[in-house]
Amino acid sequence: MKKIKYGLSVLGLAVGMATGGVSMSVTAAKPTLSEEDFKKAELHYFQRCAGCHGVTRKGATGKNLEPENMLKKGQKRLEKIISLGTEGGMNNFDDLLSKKEIANLATFIQMEPPVPPEMTLSQMREHTKEYVAPKDYPTKPKHNRNWQNFFVVIERDAGKAAIVDGDTKEIIAHINTGYAVHVIKGTEHHKKDHVDDVGRFWYTIGRDGKVNKIDLWQTPDKMLVAETKMAYDARDIAVSGDGKYVIAGGYWPSHFVIMDAVTLNPLKVVSTRGYNTKGDYVNEARVAAIYTTPNESTFMVAVKELGQMWQVDYTDIDNLRIDHIDSSEFLHDGFFDPSGRYFQIAANASNKMVVVDTKTRKLESMIDVDSLPHPGPGANWIDEECGPVGGTTHLGTGLVSVWGNDPIGHPDKAWKLCYEVETDGPGAFIRTHETSQYVWADQLKHPEPEIQQSVQVFDKKTHEIVKTIRVTEEPGKAALHMEFNDDGSEVWVSVWNRKDAKNPSGEIVVYDAKTLKEKHRIKGLTTPTGKFNVYNRIHHKT
Amino acid sequence: MKKIKYGLSVLGLAVGMATGGVSMSVTAAKPTLSEEDFKKAELHYFQRCAGCHGVTRKGATGKNLEPENMLKKGQKRLEKIISLGTEGGMNNFDDLLSKKEIANLATFIQMEPPVPPEMTLSQMREHTKEYVAPKDYPTKPKHNRNWQNFFVVIERDAGKAAIVDGDTKEIIAHINTGYAVHVIKGTEHHKKDHVDDVGRFWYTIGRDGKVNKIDLWQTPDKMLVAETKMAYDARDIAVSGDGKYVIAGGYWPSHFVIMDAVTLNPLKVVSTRGYNTKGDYVNEARVAAIYTTPNESTFMVAVKELGQMWQVDYTDIDNLRIDHIDSSEFLHDGFFDPSGRYFQIAANASNKMVVVDTKTRKLESMIDVDSLPHPGPGANWIDEECGPVGGTTHLGTGLVSVWGNDPIGHPDKAWKLCYEVETDGPGAFIRTHETSQYVWADQLKHPEPEIQQSVQVFDKKTHEIVKTIRVTEEPGKAALHMEFNDDGSEVWVSVWNRKDAKNPSGEIVVYDAKTLKEKHRIKGLTTPTGKFNVYNRIHHKT
């Protein structure tokens, strides 16, 4: 199997080859669309393209798609790229969009991007809804299920979150959320005064900026307790350690919003537009990731295009302290080390892992890894030689990179590559558990169905792949994202129904974490994506 | 004499009355200008209007001047307003601009504002110039003058700074600076390791964003040692307490820039665009004032339209800590209390004095004062009843407001109005000295020449005005801005030659601080404005 390894810089070349280098005259008549087609194409662009290329099309993880560049490519070539994708990381869309929709999208990106609107705090507040009044919140669970082993599962293309009972494997609710929820975070309550209900409340953020609050103590019909909207395009959310605040980050407008964790009422909005590490102004400086720091009263806000981590202190939001930590552009997704002091985040198109010391609020280190690192929820474990380590998959190559992450106990190994494991294909997610001898990596980004549908498992001791698991063989399906259950005895893997994304034909396959054998298939899910086990996420059992 | 007292909220009404309420049809043909006239009007707008109304014309201290509003007023009415000004604070321009220039300006503001360009860090660096190499800086003064009693004087319309010998009253240099320098700041060196040269270097910031470094130890022909440019429109500058950094604030682009204090090379740029205290996004969020904090390693950056003081920690500019202190919109000019802990700044169109505690980096208090407070360099003194107090003049009314500013020694008086002194007219500057029994206030904003040309002096003990000093009687001249000499024995007052602003027909009048009698007239200055006595400014002897 030929290994795939393209960085973003060669995408242009790869595209040229894939499409046979068709070129059109730049002096052709200006592309136009009817108002109706323009609106539809704008929606499709927002749903399928803006994530990588930006609402204003300036490019980020994906290429710049402004008219000047697109007119040079021309209608036919753009249609081919959108239909077939590129080997460098862009998906094919011929299974999701019709030929006419693709043609209109190709025309749309040759036209001037519509100016996206701003969103004021007052506008956000108009979206705040209470489904269950806080005074009516139950004081103990209204069911006898083991809610700490619940999995909250993103059903991406349904705009829902499923609640799955980890003990019985039953889907007990499909809760309406925003479009294509990217991340879900639970209450952590670092201060132990409400320790009983730690992990009870979960917050979802939709691609459309919609925020929902879920109460796992409720009966399924009442689990959705509150809602608001904080942006037109958003990606991540977090809950403060004291349980008082929820913070969500916008792609557009580029800002973060601090909300009351009880009511979801937006309290404070802070713009992230600014200058990148080179000193160039970036109007679309998107918040890619937000986390609450386990040991400090702060949030980590990753401002993607600025190459800055903003450590936001929530102890006094009227006198808001922010430490702007310069690192590297295209910050995307990250995870803490086991001590909770160091935050490890991918600067994807810079091919680096960035490490921030949340205690000193300064940059700790930058580790050169391979093409487009993407750890997803990440993985930490103990290596015999290097001591505590962290690892990441890469979107651009089939490789797991592993580095030392214990600067106090193993200073000579810290923030240096310990070893690498070659996998069959580029992937988006890595995962392990403290009780497991294995590390799991998916291969979502490989174009071959056989590889895209398989995850690989390697041994923490030998560093060798011990098993390649074909999770599904159904055409149009892909395997992705692993999550352990509460005691680490099971690994849950998602199966995306890409070609049938509107229907609940996706599933989760449950494996025995020791024998690596299939135990169960949970059916009836629509494009199940991220899965969040209550106990593991709250206690950072990675 | 009828007292003038208009807040910004009634400016619309005042304008309507002054111009007889002329109105034109909105459906008239769109106003246009030739490219040449447009360019000229754009320059005039930038030089004369943008300061109050904003480069993008969204309004700030002045009204919103976007085409939607301007088209309703129409050509004739706009010409009248520009020619005659308004009683609410807008100057008349018929003495500065020709009829044709005024007509073109009236047309210009009915047209879409040109989109102002961004400025990158690399572009700024291209402007950095070295006139004297740091290795060639003298190790002791190259003249025998008492440089600690020098006055650095802004010659506004000449784009120069004059160096005046406070002992001999000689003008020893006119140094080329940016256009209409607003503020000049000297090195303070809070760390006393270079105590000998404290106050030696001075930094100017032009309205055009040009930054110049002046070395008072040099011979006059070599005093200008370095230069750069950090914005297209700027207002304030400061030097870090350790002497390492210079920071300047931009009106457009709305940002601040940290430079190497030796070479002026721009090191770091931070955008100030963001959300105001109401949660509305402001693209033109201008830096109105910047100060170095006497007791902390921080700068105070006043972001006018956001209503936020940003306390910027300069100990590690790669991990830049900023505390965003919410207060009130239209922050403009401020000064420290005598302890150096509290920063007192006018939020002018909010009619408030805002107080920040630079030790806790939090809002300390907001004091309701009168219409458009404007302290300029400010004044602190001791009151028999209230203890330590601070005071401000107002642009909107003839009133000096005085408040307690010693929360530790006089907690019951702190941040409350102690008393008010009525003056004959609204003014821009107040000043005193610890050795003086008097407080001086100008009346620059009164339309009557007799008042505009007079400053008033009141007694710290009786709170009564003891003398009204007619500084000049020449037509087209105005009196403004007081500064004491090193030992407090003299008060220097500027005389603006408004009608002859291109020529050196302005002057400084020197008064005996005790007898209040005229001692000397220093002639040959072009629109002398702010004056900075080296010793007083460095030691905060206000």
Side-chain angles (χ1 to χ4, degrees):
Chain A
M1 186 77 45
K2 193 166 157 266
K3 288 192 70 68
I4 290 187
K5 185 163 175 171
Y6 293 115
L8 282 186
S9 57
V10 298
L11 278 187
L13 181 64
V15 168
M17 295 188 305
T19 58
V22 178
S23 77
M24 285 179 70
S25 169
V26 184
T27 54
K30 274 199 173 181
T32 54
L33 287 173
S34 71
E35 200 180 319
E36 194 191 334
D37 283 344
F38 187 90
K39 285 281 163 210
K40 276 188 200 160
E42 187 181 1
L43 182 65
H44 285 139
Y45 180 85
F46 167 73
Q47 291 178 331
R48 304 292 175 185
C49 320
C52 290
H53 301 281
V55 173
T56 57
R57 300 195 218 142
K58 303 260 183 215
T61 311
K63 297 188 77 177
N64 178 301
L65 302 185
E66 289 184 289
E68 192 190 340
N69 296 321
M70 294 303 97
L71 285 165
K72 283 182 203 154
K73 292 221 180 333
Q75 182 71 20
K76 287 233 170 82
R77 189 163 163 191
L78 291 173
E79 287 180 19
K80 277 198 184 173
I81 297 172
I82 299 168
S83 299
L84 306 176
T86 70
E87 286 191 319
M90 177 163 155
N91 296 329
N92 59 310
F93 290 93
D94 57 351
D95 55 350
L96 289 170
L97 300 172
S98 71
K99 280 201 171 171
K100 178 160 188 261
E101 286 169 341
I102 288 172
N104 286 348
L105 201 47
T107 308
F108 175 77
I109 58 176
Q110 296 171 75
M111 297 166 71
E112 280 300 318
V115 177
E118 301 296 339
M119 190 184 277
T120 68
L121 200 60
S122 321
Q123 287 172 321
M124 297 173 206
R125 286 176 179 159
E126 284 168 16
H127 291 277
T128 309
K129 288 177 196 161
E130 178 186 273
Y131 294 115
V132 177
K135 67 177 174 53
D136 298 330
Y137 287 2
T139 52
K140 55 179 187 176
K142 296 189 92 170
H143 51 69
N144 292 318
R145 292 176 183 273
N146 175 19
W147 62 273
Q148 293 216 42
N149 195 30
F150 280 2
F151 286 70
V152 187
V153 180
I154 293 167
E155 293 188 84
R156 205 189 65 160
D157 290 12
K160 289 180 194 291
I163 310 297
V164 183
D165 184 323
D167 289 1
T168 67
K169 317 289 188 285
E170 288 167 282
I171 301 168
I172 57 177
H174 296 279
I175 296 170
N176 285 322
T177 60
Y179 167 76
V181 163
H182 197 79
V183 169
I184 299 177
K185 300 272 177 73
T187 39
E188 297 191 10
H189 286 319
H190 302 148
K191 287 176 187 167
K192 302 304 183 198
D193 48 346
H194 289 287
V195 74
D196 284 351
D197 70 353
V198 168
R200 166 186 177 176
F201 295 109
W202 286 75
Y203 298 88
T204 67
I205 177 79
R207 278 277 312 267
D208 51 5
K210 209 163 136 184
V211 176
N212 287 105
K213 180 180 179 183
I214 294 169
D215 180 359
L216 297 183
W217 283 11
Q218 283 278 9
T219 51
D221 58 317
K222 287 195 174 157
M223 281 183 172
L224 179 60
V225 295
E227 181 176 306
T228 194
K229 183 177 167 83
M230 47 62 67
Y232 302 105
D233 190 6
R235 287 300 180 283
D236 209 350
I237 193 162
V239 193
S240 62
D242 61 6
K244 272 191 197 168
Y245 300 117
V246 171
I247 180 174
Y251 261 28
W252 189 267
S254 294
H255 63 208
F256 65 81
V257 177
I258 297 175
M259 291 156 275
D260 182 316
V262 176
T263 62
L264 291 187
N265 193 45
L267 301 172
K268 177 107 188 174
V269 50
V270 177
S271 177
T272 53
R273 305 180 207 199
Y275 291 88
N276 64 17
T277 63
K278 292 161 194 71
D280 298 328
Y281 181 71
V282 183
N283 201 42
E284 198 176 344
R286 310 180 299 175
V287 176
I290 298 199
Y291 296 81
T292 189
T293 48
N295 308 340
E296 311 290 327
S297 295
T298 58
F299 298 115
M300 298 307 303
V301 175
V303 190
K304 190 165 192 150
E305 285 77 15
L306 299 194
Q308 287 184 338
M309 292 298 305
W310 289 14
Q311 190 163 352
V312 179
D313 195 310
Y314 55 75
T315 49
D316 182 351
I317 67 169
D318 296 325
N319 298 285
L320 195 70
R321 172 181 175 178
I322 303 177
D323 291 72
H324 305 76
I325 300 158
D326 285 358
S327 60
S328 194
E329 276 75 9
F330 311 112
L331 296 164
H332 188 74
D333 53 338
F335 60 108
F336 284 93
D337 83 304
S339 78
R341 173 170 173 174
Y342 300 101
F343 186 65
Q344 313 162 107
I345 181 166
N348 61 19
S350 297
N351 301 340
K352 286 184 200 308
M353 289 298 301
V354 165
V355 185
V356 171
D357 182 346
T358 64
K359 189 174 177 184
T360 61
R361 306 187 189 193
K362 291 182 190 298
L363 181 71
E364 168 78 4
S365 189
M366 293 204 277
I367 310 164
D368 287 317
V369 290
D370 217 292
S371 173
L372 303 176
H374 189 288
N380 295 306
W381 66 94
I382 309 291
D383 182 72
E384 283 193 350
E385 195 196 325
C386 298
V389 294
T392 186
T393 29
H394 294 78
L395 298 178
T397 184
L399 191 75
V400 172
S401 294
V402 180
W403 60 87
N405 65 9
D406 177 25
I408 290 150
H410 298 76
D412 54 321
K413 305 290 184 189
W415 319 129
K416 291 173 192 153
L417 279 185
C418 176
Y419 64 95
E420 291 177 324
V421 177
E422 291 201 359
T423 61
D424 288 341
F429 300 104
I430 187 171
R431 200 72 175 147
T432 188
H433 190 274
E434 60 182 14
T435 62
S436 172
Q437 71 186 98
Y438 303 121
V439 179
W440 296 57
D442 71 16
Q443 304 177 108
L444 180 65
K445 288 304 198 178
H446 199 285
E448 293 286 339
E450 189 188 329
I451 299 176
Q452 198 181 81
Q453 294 174 343
S454 300
V455 298
Q456 292 197 302
V457 182
F458 68 88
D459 191 296
K460 290 178 181 174
K461 196 162 175 173
T462 65
H463 307 173
E464 296 296 330
I465 288 173
V466 295
K467 194 166 182 184
T468 300
I469 301 173
R470 183 81 179 256
V471 184
T472 179
E473 295 189 16
E474 281 185 69
K477 291 198 169 172
L480 72 153
H481 195 276
M482 291 68 57
E483 177 79 340
F484 285 74
N485 67 340
D486 55 354
D487 62 8
S489 62
E490 293 173 357
V491 181
W492 293 34
V493 186
S494 295
V495 175
W496 256 358
N497 44 321
R498 289 197 73 219
K499 288 224 179 192
D500 184 32
K502 298 271 184 275
N503 296 312
S505 55
E507 55 187 338
I508 292 172
V509 185
V510 180
Y511 294 90
D512 183 292
K514 280 215 166 64
T515 66
L516 308 180
K517 287 194 176 138
E518 184 179 318
K519 279 181 70 175
H520 198 89
R521 295 183 97 88
I522 303 167
K523 294 183 181 281
L525 294 161
T526 305
T527 49
T529 311
K531 301 170 296 299
F532 301 80
N533 177 268
V534 173
Y535 183 85
N536 282 338
R537 293 298 173 131
I538 295 312
H539 298 286
H540 294 284
K541 297 288 180 193
T542 166
Chain B
M1 185 77 48
K2 194 169 155 265
K3 290 192 72 68
I4 290 188
K5 185 164 177 171
Y6 293 115
L8 282 186
S9 56
V10 297
L11 278 186
L13 181 63
V15 167
M17 294 188 304
T19 57
V22 177
S23 78
M24 283 180 71
S25 168
V26 183
T27 54
K30 276 198 170 181
T32 54
L33 287 172
S34 72
E35 199 179 319
E36 194 190 336
D37 283 344
F38 186 89
K39 285 281 162 214
K40 275 188 200 159
E42 188 181 359
L43 181 65
H44 285 140
Y45 180 85
F46 167 72
Q47 292 178 330
R48 304 293 176 186
C49 320
C52 290
H53 300 282
V55 174
T56 57
R57 300 196 217 141
K58 302 262 182 217
T61 309
K63 296 186 81 175
N64 178 301
L65 301 186
E66 290 183 289
E68 192 191 340
N69 296 321
M70 295 303 97
L71 285 165
K72 283 181 203 155
K73 292 220 182 334
Q75 182 72 21
K76 288 231 171 84
R77 189 163 162 191
L78 291 172
E79 287 179 18
K80 277 199 185 172
I81 296 173
I82 299 168
S83 300
L84 306 176
T86 69
E87 287 191 318
M90 178 164 156
N91 295 330
N92 60 308
F93 290 94
D94 56 351
D95 54 351
L96 289 168
L97 301 171
S98 71
K99 279 203 172 171
K100 179 162 187 259
E101 287 169 340
I102 288 172
N104 286 348
L105 202 47
T107 308
F108 176 77
I109 57 175
Q110 295 171 74
M111 297 166 70
E112 280 300 318
V115 176
E118 301 296 338
M119 188 184 276
T120 68
L121 199 60
S122 322
Q123 287 172 322
M124 296 173 207
R125 285 176 180 158
E126 284 167 18
H127 292 278
T128 309
K129 289 177 194 161
E130 178 185 273
Y131 295 113
V132 177
K135 67 176 174 53
D136 298 330
Y137 286 1
T139 52
K140 56 179 186 175
K142 296 189 92 169
H143 51 71
N144 293 318
R145 291 176 185 272
N146 174 19
W147 62 274
Q148 294 216 42
N149 195 30
F150 281 1
F151 286 70
V152 187
V153 180
I154 294 167
E155 295 188 84
R156 204 188 66 161
D157 291 13
K160 291 182 193 292
I163 310 295
V164 183
D165 185 323
D167 289 2
T168 68
K169 315 290 186 285
E170 287 168 284
I171 300 169
I172 57 179
H174 296 278
I175 296 170
N176 284 322
T177 61
Y179 167 76
V181 163
H182 196 79
V183 169
I184 298 176
K185 299 272 176 75
T187 39
E188 296 192 11
H189 285 319
H190 302 150
K191 289 176 185 164
K192 302 303 182 198
D193 48 345
H194 289 287
V195 75
D196 283 352
D197 69 355
V198 169
R200 165 187 178 177
F201 295 109
W202 285 75
Y203 298 89
T204 67
I205 178 79
R207 277 279 311 268
D208 51 5
K210 209 165 137 183
V211 176
N212 288 106
K213 180 180 179 183
I214 295 169
D215 180 359
L216 296 183
W217 282 10
Q218 284 277 9
T219 50
D221 57 316
K222 287 194 173 159
M223 281 184 173
L224 178 61
V225 296
E227 181 176 303
T228 193
K229 183 177 168 80
M230 49 60 69
Y232 302 105
D233 190 6
R235 285 300 180 284
D236 209 351
I237 192 162
V239 193
S240 62
D242 60 7
K244 273 191 194 167
Y245 301 116
V246 171
I247 181 175
Y251 261 27
W252 187 267
S254 294
H255 62 207
F256 64 83
V257 177
I258 297 175
M259 292 156 274
D260 182 316
V262 176
T263 63
L264 291 188
N265 193 44
L267 302 172
K268 176 107 187 173
V269 51
V270 177
S271 178
T272 53
R273 303 180 209 198
Y275 291 87
N276 64 16
T277 62
K278 291 160 195 72
D280 298 328
Y281 181 71
V282 183
N283 201 43
E284 198 175 344
R286 310 181 299 175
V287 177
I290 298 198
Y291 296 81
T292 190
T293 49
N295 307 340
E296 312 289 327
S297 295
T298 59
F299 298 115
M300 298 307 303
V301 175
V303 190
K304 190 166 192 150
E305 284 77 14
L306 300 194
Q308 287 183 337
M309 292 299 303
W310 288 15
Q311 191 163 352
V312 178
D313 194 311
Y314 54 74
T315 50
D316 182 352
I317 66 169
D318 296 325
N319 297 285
L320 194 70
R321 172 182 174 178
I322 303 177
D323 291 72
H324 305 76
I325 300 158
D326 285 358
S327 60
S328 194
E329 276 74 12
F330 311 112
L331 295 164
H332 189 75
D333 54 337
F335 60 108
F336 284 92
D337 82 306
S339 77
R341 173 170 174 175
Y342 300 100
F343 186 64
Q344 312 160 112
I345 182 165
N348 60 19
S350 298
N351 302 338
K352 286 182 200 311
M353 288 300 299
V354 165
V355 185
V356 170
D357 181 347
T358 65
K359 188 173 178 185
T360 61
R361 306 188 189 193
K362 292 182 191 298
L363 181 70
E364 168 79 3
S365 190
M366 293 204 277
I367 309 164
D368 286 315
V369 290
D370 218 293
S371 173
L372 304 176
H374 188 288
N380 295 307
W381 66 94
I382 309 289
D383 182 72
E384 284 194 351
E385 195 197 325
C386 298
V389 293
T392 188
T393 29
H394 294 79
L395 299 178
T397 184
L399 191 76
V400 171
S401 294
V402 181
W403 59 88
N405 64 10
D406 177 24
I408 290 150
H410 297 75
D412 54 322
K413 305 290 184 189
W415 319 129
K416 291 173 195 152
L417 279 185
C418 176
Y419 64 95
E420 293 177 324
V421 177
E422 291 202 356
T423 61
D424 288 342
F429 300 104
I430 187 172
R431 201 72 176 148
T432 188
H433 190 275
E434 59 183 14
T435 61
S436 171
Q437 71 187 98
Y438 303 120
V439 179
W440 295 57
D442 71 15
Q443 303 175 109
L444 180 63
K445 288 302 195 177
H446 199 285
E448 294 286 338
E450 188 189 330
I451 299 177
Q452 198 183 79
Q453 294 174 344
S454 300
V455 298
Q456 293 196 302
V457 181
F458 68 87
D459 191 295
K460 288 178 182 175
K461 198 162 175 171
T462 65
H463 308 172
E464 297 294 330
I465 289 172
V466 295
K467 193 166 184 184
T468 300
I469 301 172
R470 182 81 179 256
V471 184
T472 179
E473 295 189 14
E474 282 186 69
K477 292 198 170 172
L480 71 155
H481 194 276
M482 292 69 58
E483 177 80 339
F484 284 74
N485 67 342
D486 56 354
D487 63 6
S489 62
E490 292 172 357
V491 181
W492 293 33
V493 186
S494 294
V495 175
W496 255 359
N497 44 322
R498 289 197 73 218
K499 289 225 181 193
D500 185 32
K502 299 269 183 275
N503 296 313
S505 54
E507 56 187 338
I508 292 171
V509 186
V510 180
Y511 294 90
D512 185 291
K514 279 215 168 63
T515 65
L516 307 181
K517 287 193 176 141
E518 184 180 318
K519 280 182 69 176
H520 200 88
R521 295 183 97 89
I522 303 167
K523 292 181 180 285
L525 294 160
T526 305
T527 50
T529 311
K531 302 171 295 298
F532 301 81
N533 177 268
V534 173
Y535 183 85
N536 282 338
R537 294 297 176 132
I538 295 311
H539 298 285
H540 294 282
K541 298 286 182 197
T542 165

